[in-house]
Every structure is written in structure tokens, then in C-alpha cells.
Amino acid sequence: MRSKFTWIMALFMVLTFNLSFAQEKTVTGTVSDDAGQPLPGVSILVRGTNKSTTTDFDGNYSISVSVGQVLEFSFVGFTSQSATITAASGVINIKLEEGQVIGVIVKDAYRTVSERKATFATTTISAEAFENRGNASIIQSMQGQIAGLSIGTGSGQPGADSAIILRGVGTINGNFEPLFIVDGVPVDEDGFRSINPNDYASITTLKDAAATSIYGNRGSNGVIVLTTKRGSYNQDLKFRYTSQFGYNELQPVNIDLMTSRELLQFQKRSGQGLGSTLSDAEIDVLSRQANTNWSDIFFRKGTTKLHDLSMSVGSANTNNFTSFSYFEQDGIFINTNLKRFTLRNNFTGRSQDQKFEYSLNFNANFSRQSGLDGAGTNSIFFAPFRAALQGLPYLSPYDANGNITRDGGIAPGNTDAITADNAPYVLLNSSLMNTDIEDEFKLITGLNAKYTFMKNVTAGMQLGLDYSQFKALERIHPESILGPFQANGTNTTQFGGLQQESTSRDFRFNSLFTLNYNNTFADAHTIDLTGYVEYIKNHFDSFGFVQRGLDPRLVGTGAAFIDGETVEGTLRPYIPTVSSGKAEEGLFSYFANFDYDYKGKYGFNATVRRDNSFRFIDENKWATFYSLGGRWNIDEESFMEKLPFVDQLKLRASFGTTGNQRINNGSYSALNFTRNLYTQSGGYNGTPGTVPGQIANPDLRWEVTEQTNVGLDFGLFGNRLSGTVDVYRKFTRDLFQSTPISAVNATTDIDTNTGALENKGVELFLKYVIYDKNGWNISVDANTAYNQNRMRDLPDSYNGIIQPTGSATTLEGYPLNTFYVVRYAGVNPSNGNALFYTRDGGLTETIRDEDRVNTGKSSLPVWTGGFNTRVSYKGFEFSTQWSYVADIYRNNLDYADLEETNLVNDGTNRAVSAGTAWQNPGDITSVPRVGNQYNSVDYINSTDRYLEDASFLRLRNVLLGYNFDKKILEKLPFSGVRLYIQAENLVTFTSYRGWDAESNFRTTDRGQYPTPKIYTLGAVVNF
């Protein structure tokens, strides 16, 4: 009997062991394209679960699965594939064919789902779309690649921030940019100059309410999720080294400037300026001596350098990805530069039974940006880009030795020589002698863990940190031309110069706890239910000082600071000033997400979130946001068998709400708007007094956006033609804006929640694989988006319009930043004065506010998009990426200054067209007479004379590369070698007159840093 029992127990243990072994096993493999090239960043999802992984940069992967489960392989631009796990499965190698975009794994801060089962509108681009580009910021490389996403960079300074708009601007005064998530950690949307773009595997843009309502009060402007690269389990140690070198140059200016001879002759005809005092012979001599294009002096060809080393390795239960990077880019303007050092380590591990998984992401970055103040300023001695465009051509840039002058012979503090004419010399001196540096240390780190403590139930935790520390130094050297004026505004003090330093720290902490239940019933019904609790707390502090008066012998050290107790005459001109600040904000939330799927054919999603914000009083602190979404995978229906050319077809629809607690844009803004605040003011007979500084509005609350979206995803003809169409409507209510009140309250307005704003639009993405045979692959894709922005409601006291202080304003029924101006009619041929249309169509020579009309033109774009081509043959590759913006307008104050005829002797050059100014009765021209009654700023602020179409089409990137065949490398220590040459911003087509049609959606251009062309040569070596 005992032997029987022993035999039975032994048999039971063997069966149990075999069953356990069959249920859990590790599958490895390589994913490549149809040419055999490995594909890094391919998403692999275990169907019906949240378990997923990605391939490393050699296309390898490793994942724990059970027999009978199905792996789904997906990558942007390729047809998805699946593989069922059998008892014999150990290594599964996959080849993906280029074509369909549906099937990508969508992963955000909270959820992971295949795009076939997603109910929401998203777009994902992979690393090949943005890595190894010449741009300092990954944001700039996204331009034109995602339908509905508008990116405008208003400066060519390396590492400059961009303005980002997704599906239109949905607020007047609040934050309009999307929320950014890096590996689950929310980060500052303006903090990407210090981050290495080559660390990222994919970027996913979440657009509709079904995708963004789970982010609650932070999701009204959309969400952009960046996922970094990781190692794989059971992977040998592998290295990748990327090196890049190139140069940057100025784009040609679309303005014909006068030469020395033309300008002097124009001045002579006008009776103003130097030319009016010279004979023709003297003009000829001076013109031969100098004909300077000051752009050639202030701008240069800069260099770009990149060195990036990454390594990955994995064992059975751990894997690691580490990267080191150094990037340096000279700006095209002298003395501008960006240097960046980055370190990343992504570590992932799991328990032996694979029920517990954890990861630690660590990213430390340091960057130093050397720049110039004064872009866009009206002060001629602090506007270097204006001097480069408008400097007088008959001034020589050289000294007696033939070198570029440092001062034009102007002694520091010489008030007689510091004139508008000599502005190029002053600004050249400032650029060479003064200092403007900003250092940033940025740390992004996250700890993630999840534990499957019972069947189908997983608990998770995520801790995240985004820490930024800035240190800025601005120094005006005491021996620079402007140095002697810095102590007290005159040149009468013994010591000049100024040193201003500031430092700030921004600490953003995020914690998230989750509980998930996932199960499939009857092989048909799959449900996924997750509950979340999230806490966010942000802290900011700053300190700064300004020291006026520096010892020129000791500049660069603290010993240069002149003692504030030093007395000169009866004054103490060197007393430093100090400043400090401190702020904090927080958010507490709990929310839930429910997903249901029936046989992969029908799906439903619901989200509800409760947010508590510190900004509002107790009655308004809490708000609820929700969404509902559904899908129908029509291609799964039996009747679709009659349409064999349809491979994939999915219909989506969603509705939901999101919020915006950053009602005054900045992260730390509007902290005390619900409180009465008082400030000190002068009282009777000079005594100090206290007066109201702010009237409390306890009724302030969130801005709320409702969004409806209907979308269709499709793949046809063997997935050779694929695409997505989305139609949406976003309606934002309770807008945060100023409302007029009686002046008896000691102020004339108060901030309130009132008004509504609407965005409606259509987005389209198409991709077509033209040819895919015999080693050739030729494909094209394009995206376009149309967005109609409309102000739907203003406070009654405004009577449908906020009266403009400049040229653009807000009107009911029209886009934000609509230009409301007097129409320019030309020049009166009888007297040369400017003519304008009255409101009723008559003519007048006077600019009057009552003649302003709605132009229907706005600084916000209506059409955006881009298109790409890709051709590959065996190891060769060629690609182009174009972007465009259309139906966008901007005031061109640069050109207005160059065509100024109110006066001529203002120390600046002129456009050739200024020479056509009216001279005699009967002249027909568009340029008023010299000495006419209005100047360039008058035209910009009140008329449409220089309101220009800023639409453009730009070749954003063109690349030619070669991947060496692996057979060639067999005897070498390399597993892959790729060489490439590329160019950024190579060609731009536009009618806009200036250096650069691109902007950050501002209403007026004046003296801005133009976007450069960037040429780079690079190599990528795997070993």
C-alpha cells in the first residue's frame, strides 16, 4: 500500500512539475525587416494582458509567457504579426513587412494596449523618425510627423524651447501645451534641451478624451508619452557607438537690402542722413571703401558634434541599458552655443517565478547654453539680430589691421559715439565681451514595481522625480562700450560693469499606486479593471542678486565686486540688490479605468477621475473628469470576407472631459488668486501706506474641456495602403480671463472663469508602399490636419470684443489672436501720404480705432502637416521629411523697419523697395513719402500694411545612408555599421519676407534668432 502511495505521489509531482514548466517559459528571438536588418524598439505584447517588452537596438527580445498565449509584434510603419506559444517554443524570430500602421502597442503612464484594441486616437512614431538628427531638442524633430500636432520654434538658439499645440489652442491665459510623460514620470514641457534624443525608443501622442481623461486636470491639451530604450532578458553584452559631425549656417534672407551706394543716394534724394551731406563723388568713394553685409559679421558657420555610447545586457531575470552622451552645437550667431552631457541607466528585474517585476530609470543631464539677450527687443543697443539685418552698409567692420573690429574705435562710455548709426559696433562689442550663460542640471528618475499576488490580480507602484536646477550668469564687462553706464545709468562712476546671477530649483515628485484585475472568460470576453491613487507635489525656490560696479582687473571673480558702502560724491552707487522666491503646488487624485473586449471584435473603455487641486478653495478643489470610448473592428466580421482587399478596418468613437488647473499658464502661477492681497504704497506726506494689491475671487475653478472624436483606421491591398482619419470637436468652458469691474474696487478688472472656446477639425494620415520586391522598398506617407479655432463666448461687458492694445485681439466667433486692424489702401498720389480704408470702405489719411475691421486672419495655424518618402535598396537608404504650416499670419516689423520712410536718418539700412517712396505728385507707389506722418510701429500696431502670410513648406530632413552587409562584417568585431549624411531645414518655400517664416505663433516678428540649416555626417557602429 505504501509503495502504491509513493508511486502515485511521484507521478503527481512529475505532472505538476511539467504543468508548471509548460505554464511559464522564456521566449527569445530577433525581429528584423524584410531585408534582414534588425528593428530596435519593436513592441511585443502578450495578447489579453498588460505584459509587454521591446526589442533592443540589435532587434533582440526576451519575454516570459505561458503555453497557449499569443505574442503580438508591432512596429510603426510595418504590418503586425502574431505567434502562438507552444511547448516547443523557445526561440521565435520574426520578419515584419513594411505597410500597415495599425497594431502598434500604445503605452502611456497608466495603460498598455495594442492599437487594434484601443478605443482612442493616438499616433506613435519610432526612434528612426527622430534619433541621430542634427537638432539639439527632440521636440524640433517631431515637427510635421504627427497629424494635429503643431510645433513652432521661435528661435534658432541651440536648445531653444518650442511652442507645442495639439488640436488647437484651448485656453486664453492658461497653459496650452500638452502634458509630457517620460517613462511614466510627468516632466516640464520646456525641459528638453538637456535630454539626449537618442535615448528614446518611441513617442506616442494621445489626442482625444478617451486617451487623455485619465490624466484629469492635466489632460485638456493632450498628452505626449516618451518611452526610452531598454535592454532585453537573456541578452549578451552589446555596445552601440554613434558619432556625428557637421556644421550649421544661416538661411538666406528673403529681403533685398540696399548697398552702400543705394542707401547714400536714397539719403541724398531724401535730404536726410549722411548721404544728404555728400557729393556724388564722395558717395562713390565711400561706397567703394565699404559695402558691409552685417549678417556676414554677426553670423557664422557653427559646428555640431555628437558622441553617444550605449550598452545593454540581460540575464534570465535582469536586464540593463546604459548610455553616455556628449553633444555640442555652435549657434550660427557669434558667441551662442549649447553643450550637453547625459547619463542614463534603465534597469529591469523580475523574481524567479516572474510574479514580481521592477525597474529603475535614472537619467542625469547637464547642459550649458551660451546666448544673447535682446531677441525681439525695441532697444537698439540690446538687439543684436536687428543690427545684423539693419546695420549701415557703409560702416566698415574691420580695424586698421584688417581684423574684425571689437569696438569700431569707440571708447567705453563715449556718449558722443554711442549713436544709432554705430549700433553694429556697440552690439558687436557686447557680443564679444559680455557673458550670458545658463546652466541646467536635470534629473529624471523613476522606480516601478508590480506584483501579481493572486491569479489575474496585480498591484503596482510608481515613484517619479523630475528635478531641474538652473544657474544663470549675465555679465556686462566694465571695459565694454556699455560697461561704464551700468552702475547708475550714467558714465560718471569710477567703476562700471554689471554682474547678475540667479539660481532656481524645481522639484517635482509623483507617486502612483495601482490595483489591476485582468481576465478572459469563455475565450471571448476580456475585461481589464484598474484603480489608481496618485499624489503630485512640486516645490520651487529661487535666489538672485545684481552687482553694479566691477573692478576690470578681477572680472570673473567675487573680488571684482565693488563694496556697496563705497561713497562717490554723496551717493553709494554700488549697493547690490537681491531677490528670492518660493512656491509649491500639489494634486491628489483617485481614478479608475475599465476596458472590455469581445473576441477582438468589439471593445469599450470607460475612465473616471477625481482631482483635488491646491489652487482653489475647499468648495472648488475637487473636480470629476470622465470618458467613454468604443470600437468596432469591422474586419473581424464574417461579411468582410467578401472584401478581400480590406485587411484591417476599425471604427472608433469617444466622448469625455478633461481639465486645466494651470489657469494662468505657469506651473506655479495663480497660487493666491482666491485671496485678498495687499501691498505697500506711499501715503499722505510721504508716510508708508497699505493698499489692495489683489481682490480675491473665491469662485475660481478649473477650465473644463469636452471633446468628441470619431475615427477610422484602415489597411487595404495587403496593407500596402493604410491610414487613419479622425474628426473631433473640443469645447472649453469656464475660461480663465480678465473681467472688467468698477474702479471703485481699487482695480479695473478681476480674474474670473467666464467664456468658452471651440476647436473643430479633421486629421488624416496615409501611407502607401509603392514597391517592395527584389531588395527594393519604396514608400511614402503624409499627414495633414485642419483646425478651426473659435472664441464662442466673452463676458457681456466686452460686447463681443476685447479692445486691442495692438493689432491682434479676441473676438467672439473668430480665432484667438485675430488681427483687428485698419486696412492699408496705399499712397495718395497727390501728396504722398499713406491712405487707409474707413470701416465703410471710404478713404482717409488718418489711422483711427473706429476704422478697425476683422481680417479673419490669425497667428494660429489652420493647416499643418508633413509628408515623407523612404527608398531602400539592400544596404542603401534615402529619405526625406517635409513639414508645412498654412493659413497663418504674422506682423513683419523687421520689414516695416527696413521700409521706414517717416524718417531716413535713424541709423539703419533700408530695403531696396524703400527707394520707390513717393517723390512727386502723380507718382504711383505703395511706399509713402519720406517724412510721412506714421512710422513702422504705427503701421504694425494699427494696420495690416505689414501683416504677412507666414505659411511655409520646409524640407525638414533629407538623409542618405548605407548599412554594411553582415557578411562583410563577419570577420570584424562589429555586428553592424551604418554611415549617413543628412541635412536639416535644407529648403524653405515661403512668401514671408525675412530670415525665417517659422515662429512660436507670436503675432509680431522683430529681430528674432533665425532657424539654421544643419548638415551632419554620422556613423553608427554596433559591436
Side-chain angles (χ1 to χ4, degrees), residues 673-702:
F673 281 15
T674 58
R675 303 176 183 178
N676 287 312
L677 299 180
Y678 298 87
T679 185
Q680 182 179 333
S681 178
Y684 176 74
N685 201 24
T687 60
T690 301
V691 297
Q694 174 183 288
I695 296 179
N697 182 359
D699 296 326
L700 284 181
R701 57 192 181 275
W702 323 74

Side-chain angles (χ1 to χ4, degrees), residues 372-388:
L372 293 167
D373 281 341
T377 184
N378 190 39
S379 175
I380 61 173
F381 297 122
F382 292 90
F385 306 107
R386 286 182 62 195

Side-chain angles (χ1 to χ4, degrees), residues 270-288:
S270 304
Q272 295 183 24
L274 177 62
S276 65
T277 67
L278 302 177
S279 66
D280 288 342
E282 290 172 323
I283 289 176
D284 183 67
V285 172
L286 184 56
S287 301
R288 293 174 183 274

Side-chain angles (χ1 to χ4, degrees), residues 796-1021:
D796 293 339
S797 55
Y798 282 128
N799 295 318
I801 179 174
I802 298 177
Q803 291 301 323
T805 56
S807 58
T809 191
T810 302
L811 301 93
E812 280 189 3
Y814 293 92
L816 296 178
N817 290 347
T818 290
F819 290 96
Y820 187 71
V821 291
V822 178
R823 293 166 294 169
Y824 183 65
V827 176
N828 188 335
S830 64
N831 60 15
N833 288 336
L835 287 175
F836 308 94
Y837 289 109
T838 61
R839 179 179 287 271
D840 59 9
L843 292 175
T844 179
E845 293 183 357
T846 305
I847 296 175
R848 302 179 302 180
D849 283 342
E850 55 265 36
D851 290 325
R852 288 178 182 257
V853 297
N854 174 19
T855 64
K857 300 173 181 178
S858 169
S859 66
L860 302 177
V862 176
W863 294 90
T864 59
F867 53 93
N868 310 310
T869 60
R870 184 176 184 272
V871 179
S872 64
Y873 176 68
K874 297 184 177 179
F876 291 95
E877 58 179 316
F878 174 77
S879 64
T880 63
Q881 190 238 316
W882 296 79
S883 67
Y884 79 88
V885 176
D887 205 357
I888 180 174
Y889 294 86
R890 189 161 66 252
N891 274 320
N892 191 340
L893 186 48
D894 283 327
Y895 198 81
D897 286 339
L898 289 168
E899 212 173 53
E900 171 74 80
T901 54
N902 173 256
L903 52 81
V904 173
N905 59 336
D906 58 355
T908 61
N909 196 8
R910 290 293 184 270
V912 170
S913 58
T916 65
W918 182 95
Q919 297 182 62
N920 302 299
D923 285 353
I924 304 299
T925 179
S926 62
V927 182
R929 63 178 173 83
V930 173
N932 76 89
Q933 68 273 43
Y934 296 114
N935 61 31
S936 59
V937 175
D938 294 326
Y939 289 115
I940 291 295
N941 285 340
S942 302
T943 80
D944 67 350
R945 181 180 176 189
Y946 294 102
L947 179 58
E948 297 191 14
D949 186 347
S951 304
F952 67 87
L953 170 64
R954 172 168 287 168
L955 179 53
R956 179 62 64 178
N957 178 266
V958 58
L959 179 144
L960 176 64
Y962 180 72
N963 293 277
F964 284 84
D965 193 289
K966 286 189 175 183
K967 293 181 179 180
I968 299 176
L969 305 174
E970 284 180 350
K971 297 182 179 180
L972 299 174
F974 307 126
S975 58
V977 176
R978 176 175 179 254
L979 303 177
Y980 62 90
I981 185 171
Q982 65 178 338
E984 300 278 341
N985 312 314
L986 186 61
V987 179
T988 303
F989 300 97
T990 182
S991 63
Y992 187 79
R993 296 175 294 184
W995 273 315
D996 194 6
E998 183 178 351
S999 78
N1000 57 355
F1001 313 114
R1002 55 184 173 258
T1003 58
T1004 300
D1005 261 356
R1006 188 182 211 180
Q1008 303 293 341
Y1009 198 139
T1011 301
K1013 295 182 180 181
I1014 306 173
Y1015 307 88
T1016 52
L1017 175 67
V1020 181
V1021 181

Side-chain angles (χ1 to χ4, degrees), residues 135-140 142 158-162 164 177-182 185-197 200 203 224-228 327 338 340 342 344 363 365 367 369 440 442 444 466 468 470:
N135 299 313
S137 171
I138 192 173
I139 303 300
Q140 295 174 11
M142 293 167 60
D161 290 332
S162 301
I164 307 161
E177 294 188 304
L179 171 68
F180 279 80
I181 305 290
V182 175
V185 180
V187 299
D188 181 7
E189 67 271 11
D190 293 325
F192 283 89
R193 85 173 198 209
S194 297
I195 293 176
N196 177 18
Y200 290 86
I203 301 173
I224 296 178
V225 180
L226 297 96
T227 303
T228 59
F327 176 84
L338 175 71
R340 178 176 65 213
T342 68
R344 172 173 293 279
N363 181 214
N365 314 273
S367 69
Q369 187 180 63
E440 180 187 24
K442 189 171 186 69
I444 303 175
D466 176 20
S468 301
F470 290 92

Side-chain angles (χ1 to χ4, degrees), residues 297-538:
I297 306 303
F298 281 97
F299 289 94
R300 64 181 178 182
K301 285 189 176 180
T303 59
T304 296
K305 304 173 187 176
L306 169 69
H307 299 281
D308 185 283
L309 176 65
S310 61
M311 59 195 79
S312 63
V313 67
S315 64
N317 293 311
T318 62
N319 67 69
N320 191 72
F321 172 87
T322 303
S323 72
F324 307 89
S325 177
Y326 172 73
F327 176 84
E328 180 177 355
Q329 188 169 79
D330 293 329
I332 54 175
F333 199 89
I334 58 174
N335 207 33
T336 59
N337 175 274
L338 175 71
K339 295 180 180 179
R340 178 176 65 213
F341 303 86
T342 68
L343 166 66
R344 172 173 293 279
N345 183 258
N346 290 345
F347 181 83
T348 305
R350 61 191 181 190
S351 61
Q352 192 68 31
D353 61 6
Q354 301 181 8
K355 291 184 177 181
F356 179 71
E357 299 179 9
Y358 60 96
S359 65
L360 175 64
N361 308 317
F362 176 85
N363 181 214
N365 314 273
F366 173 81
S367 69
R368 167 166 290 181
Q369 187 180 63
S370 299
L372 293 167
D373 281 341
T377 184
N378 190 39
S379 175
I380 61 173
F381 297 122
F382 292 90
F385 306 107
R386 286 182 62 195
L389 184 64
Q390 300 175 16
L392 294 172
Y394 51 74
L395 297 180
S396 173
Y398 302 105
D399 60 20
N401 298 318
N403 301 315
I404 298 294
T405 182
R406 292 178 63 88
D407 52 27
I410 302 173
N414 184 349
T415 55
D416 293 331
I418 302 176
T419 63
D421 287 21
N422 289 326
Y425 294 139
V426 176
L427 287 158
L428 189 61
N429 177 262
S430 295
S431 299
L432 297 173
M433 295 193 66
N434 298 337
T435 302
D436 189 355
I437 293 174
E438 184 181 66
D439 293 343
E440 180 187 24
F441 172 73
K442 189 171 186 69
L443 177 67
I444 303 175
T445 186
L447 173 64
N448 300 269
K450 60 181 180 179
Y451 177 53
T452 305
F453 60 91
M454 59 184 295
K455 186 178 180 181
N456 302 321
V457 181
T458 302
M461 175 200 72
Q462 176 179 289
L463 303 177
L465 171 66
D466 176 20
Y467 174 77
S468 301
Q469 179 173 314
F470 290 92
K471 183 178 180 182
L473 168 64
E474 183 178 351
R475 182 190 300 122
I476 298 180
H477 198 284
E479 294 182 339
S480 67
I481 293 176
L482 298 179
F485 299 96
Q486 302 309 310
N488 65 355
T490 71
N491 61 352
T492 59
T493 57
Q494 180 182 355
F495 296 97
L498 174 147
Q499 184 159 321
Q500 178 175 332
E501 294 188 40
S502 63
T503 182
S504 65
R505 297 181 298 180
D506 191 348
F507 179 96
R508 306 186 182 198
F509 173 76
N510 167 263
S511 63
L512 176 71
F513 299 90
T514 67
L515 185 64
N516 171 263
Y517 175 75
N518 182 287
N519 200 3
T520 300
F521 302 94
D523 293 327
H525 307 275
T526 300
I527 63 171
D528 186 281
L529 177 63
T530 310
Y532 308 83
V533 176
E534 187 169 33
Y535 176 68
I536 297 172
K537 193 62 184 293
N538 302 333

